[in-house]
Amino acid sequence: IAVDEEMTLNGGIEFGKPEIAVDEEIPELRTRKETLRALQQKYAAEEAEWVRIKEHYQGDAADASVAEAEAAVHAAGEAAREEVREGSASGALRKACEEEHRKLSLQIEGLEALARSAEDACRHADRARYQVAARLEQMDTAHLPHVASPHRLIHQLVSVPAAN
């Protein structure tokens, strides 16, 4: 760095024309310069348009009060909502979705009632099965008196005379 500073201070570096004519020798640079100039003109035109739009709306905002602007926006929003509700494709789609939702809700309620009645029928069948099984067991063991009373079984076993 010290050498660079010394050369600059002593005049060791000469500034002048480049040895190569940039526009003639390097066509890519010429094309790039033309592209950049076109972009500069485009952006200048765009900036002028934005300035014009900004001035237009600032002038309108100065003329209209804030309350009037809010009322206009609110009225436009209500009108748009009403249009959607009554006749647009979104309103029709919403109505169709609500109708399908209502139909599906009714079907779900019907299926829930069916499931409840099936559970009740299963409980009733289970109780009936236990009753039938108990009655069948009574009928099968009626001729065996000791089955219902273990005391009677023990008494019969003890009272049997021993054979000598």
Side-chain angles (χ1 to χ4, degrees), residues 1 20 51 58 65 71 78 86 88 90-91 110 116 129-130 133 138 142 144 158:
I1 296 176
I20 301 174
V51 168
Q58 283 178 345
S65 70
E78 285 300 318
E86 290 182 358
S88 70
S90 298
R116 280 192 299 272
R129 180 184 60 87
Y130 281 121
Q138 278 182 341
L144 303 172
V158 173

Side-chain angles (χ1 to χ4, degrees), residues 131-144:
Q131 290 172 356
V132 168
R135 182 69 180 135
L136 186 60
E137 183 180 359
Q138 278 182 341
M139 291 172 54
D140 286 345
T141 59
H143 65 284
L144 303 172

Side-chain angles (χ1 to χ4, degrees), residues 58-106:
Q58 283 178 345
D60 287 349
D63 294 341
S65 70
V66 175
E68 290 174 353
E70 287 178 356
V73 167
H74 183 69
E78 285 300 318
R81 278 190 215 99
E82 190 62 33
E83 179 183 332
V84 166
R85 280 188 210 116
E86 290 182 358
S88 70
S90 298
L93 181 61
R94 181 181 301 135
K95 287 179 185 178
C97 286
E98 290 172 355
E99 180 64 23
E100 288 302 314
H101 183 268
R102 187 185 63 76
K103 288 178 184 177
L104 288 174
S105 295
L106 291 174

